[in-house]
Amino acid sequence: MRSTPFRRRALPASFILASMLTVTACGGGFGGDEEEGGDNGGDGATGTAGASGPDLSEPPEIEGEVISDGESYEIKYGIGLAEDSPQALSVDYFADILDERSDGRITVSLFPNSQVGDDLQMMNNLQSGTLEMTMPSTSPATSIVPELQLFDLPFLFPTPEEADAVLDGEIGQSMLDSFEGSGIKGLAFAENGYRQLTNSQHAVSSPEDVQGLDIRVMENPIQVSIWETLGANPTSMAFGEVFSALEQGVVDGQENPWSTILTSRFNEVQDYASETRHVYSPFIIMIGEEFYNGLSEEDQQLIQEAAEQSRDYQRQISREMDTYSKEQLASQGMEVTELSEEELAAFQEATQPVYEQWRDEIGGDLIDSVQEELGQR
Ligand code: TK8
């Protein structure tokens, strides 16, 4: 199992420190009770050095034909998340596959932490040719392929495996094909994950608790609708601006998967988290269309295969890191509220109006066919 820093670079100190703390389960959900030393670092630390970090699987052995003939070139790959996120680790694997199977011709340079722009800017950079690849969430990409709004619907996918089946099946492929002519080629879907709510004001276990909270949401109208329907005040904002907006109190909260909350250090500026799992977010692995069309057929095939292999690995370690991240956040002092089935049902019921509100825009037939595939109709 992977527990060493990726061979290209050591994991940042924040991640190593976090993985040195033992996980302390506080009774009745995860609490940051100071007396119990629930905070991290300092004298109150309950952690002891030596505890293992996230026990992530090693990437699969690289197999397949080596294509030595052809041009040498660099793929600049921008992402929004940190270098220790499952997203970044999967790009490292993608880079290894291309390096080995192109006999060193293709090099991948990773730019994490929104260094070369946020999701929308990086998609624009693919279209203009200043960046070759990126991996945004589907939500900001709905401005190019509106059908992707399907994946913004709350509580659509009960399990990640059911999401995989839709994303990797005909419906997902049709959406990837819909990028044709936009200056972007969609290669595959990967996993951002189930979104959880964090905030700086108070614990949240019911829709009533959300009333009046200023929540940052992705740049997408359905995400705005979800939180308006819950009685919050949503603000659309690029991911790269979220940490400072939380730190300055511009917004009270945000929502993202556990591993993003941990690796983007949101727990340094957020005291409360609630396991709402209100939306399952996919990522899209995408490449500049003009860049891709200029490659040899062999390299196009190689990049497609490497994208799908990095997708599979990314999903695997994203799921391995999910519970670990939640436990780390609690052991570092965040008050993590796990919701009962009844409490989750209350959130699902409270957000149901979003389906009717957006049915025509998304496509009633599309929603019905996915819900039939999921046995929800
Ligand atoms: C990272 C984003 C992020 C997304 C968001 O580029 O904006 O909250 O969940 O992961 O795509």
Side-chain angles (χ1 to χ4, degrees):
M1 301 287 271
R2 173 193 287 271
S3 55
T4 51
F6 187 74
R7 65 182 175 78
R8 263 192 179 68
R9 59 182 170 277
L11 294 178
S14 58
F15 191 77
I16 294 170
L17 171 65
S19 56
M20 283 168 59
L21 296 172
T22 53
V23 174
T24 53
C26 310
F30 294 87
D33 182 337
E34 297 299 315
E35 283 66 55
E36 291 176 20
D39 64 342
N40 62 321
D43 299 336
T46 54
T48 51
S52 65
D55 232 356
L56 304 182
S57 299
E58 290 292 337
E61 286 301 313
I62 296 168
E63 297 171 349
E65 182 193 355
V66 173
I67 305 167
S68 304
D69 294 340
E71 291 181 31
S72 296
Y73 50 91
E74 177 192 32
I75 291 177
K76 297 186 293 300
Y77 201 141
I79 60 172
L81 298 189
E83 57 271 39
D84 50 342
S85 65
Q87 186 184 48
L89 296 177
S90 75
V91 176
D92 288 335
Y93 179 48
F94 175 78
D96 273 356
I97 296 169
L98 292 187
D99 177 51
E100 189 156 323
R101 289 196 56 200
S102 74
D103 204 10
R105 288 187 300 113
I106 308 173
T107 56
V108 176
S109 300
L110 173 60
F111 297 91
N113 295 303
S114 303
Q115 280 174 22
V116 293
D118 58 56
D119 286 353
L120 284 172
Q121 289 165 338
M122 289 192 281
M123 284 191 281
N124 290 336
N125 293 344
L126 258 54
Q127 292 167 319
S128 65
T130 56
L131 186 69
E132 283 73 48
M133 291 187 70
T134 189
M135 193 194 309
S137 293
T138 50
S139 297
T142 56
S143 55
I144 300 174
V145 176
E147 296 86 351
L148 290 170
Q149 293 179 110
L150 173 76
F151 304 120
D152 288 296
L153 288 173
F155 299 102
L156 178 64
F157 292 118
T159 66
E161 291 72 24
E162 288 170 293
D164 296 352
V166 171
L167 291 163
D168 299 347
E170 284 180 21
I171 289 172
Q173 188 54 55
S174 163
M175 293 185 184
L176 293 175
D177 293 346
S178 297
F179 279 96
E180 188 169 353
S182 70
I184 287 171
K185 178 172 177 57
L187 295 172
F189 289 99
E191 174 167 286
N192 188 352
Y194 283 101
R195 307 183 75 85
Q196 322 293 357
L197 173 66
T198 67
N199 84 91
S200 58
Q201 302 303 308
H202 51 69
V204 169
S205 59
S206 71
E208 290 71 30
D209 295 335
V210 173
Q211 300 284 329
L213 287 178
D214 295 328
I215 303 294
R216 175 271 173 180
V217 298
M218 292 187 282
E219 294 158 302
N220 171 293
I222 301 179
Q223 295 301 319
V224 172
S225 290
I226 289 172
W227 294 96
E228 284 179 338
T229 302
L230 286 170
N233 305 312
T235 299
S236 291
M237 185 186 297
F239 182 74
E241 298 164 23
V242 175
F243 187 92
S244 56
L246 293 170
E247 189 175 41
Q248 294 160 21
V250 170
V251 290
D252 299 321
Q254 66 82 48
E255 38 85 62
N256 255 292
W258 291 126
S259 62
T260 296
I261 299 165
L262 180 68
T263 56
S264 293
R265 306 187 344 271
F266 289 155
N267 57 319
E268 292 180 4
V269 289
Q270 297 276 264
D271 298 324
Y272 304 95
S274 301
E275 193 160 43
T276 48
R277 294 167 64 89
H278 51 277
V279 168
Y280 176 86
S281 274
F283 282 134
I284 305 178
I285 301 172
M286 48 174 66
I287 192 169
E289 192 170 27
E290 187 175 337
F291 172 76
Y292 181 83
N293 291 342
L295 299 176
S296 68
E297 279 188 22
E298 293 80 8
D299 280 9
Q300 289 177 352
Q301 177 64 28
L302 172 54
I303 287 171
Q304 181 66 47
E305 288 173 12
E308 291 172 6
Q309 288 159 5
S310 69
R311 166 202 65 196
D312 295 343
Y313 181 57
Q314 199 269 348
R315 284 170 172 168
Q316 179 184 17
I317 59 175
S318 172
R319 289 158 199 179
E320 291 172 351
M321 206 166 152
D322 193 52
T323 301
Y324 168 84
S325 300
K326 179 173 76 170
E327 292 169 352
Q328 279 298 311
L329 291 166
S331 72
Q332 294 179 30
M334 216 172 188
E335 183 175 326
V336 176
T337 300
E338 294 184 334
L339 303 186
S340 66
E341 287 303 315
E342 294 74 22
E343 289 167 332
L344 281 170
F347 275 97
Q348 184 162 8
E349 186 181 339
T351 55
Q352 273 305 301
V354 172
Y355 278 76
E356 201 46 46
Q357 186 179 349
W358 289 92
R359 181 178 173 81
D360 293 343
E361 170 86 13
I362 294 172
D365 293 345
L366 175 60
I367 296 173
D368 293 348
S369 61
V370 169
Q371 289 188 320
E372 277 161 21
E373 187 170 332
L374 296 169
Q376 295 172 0
R377 296 183 71 84

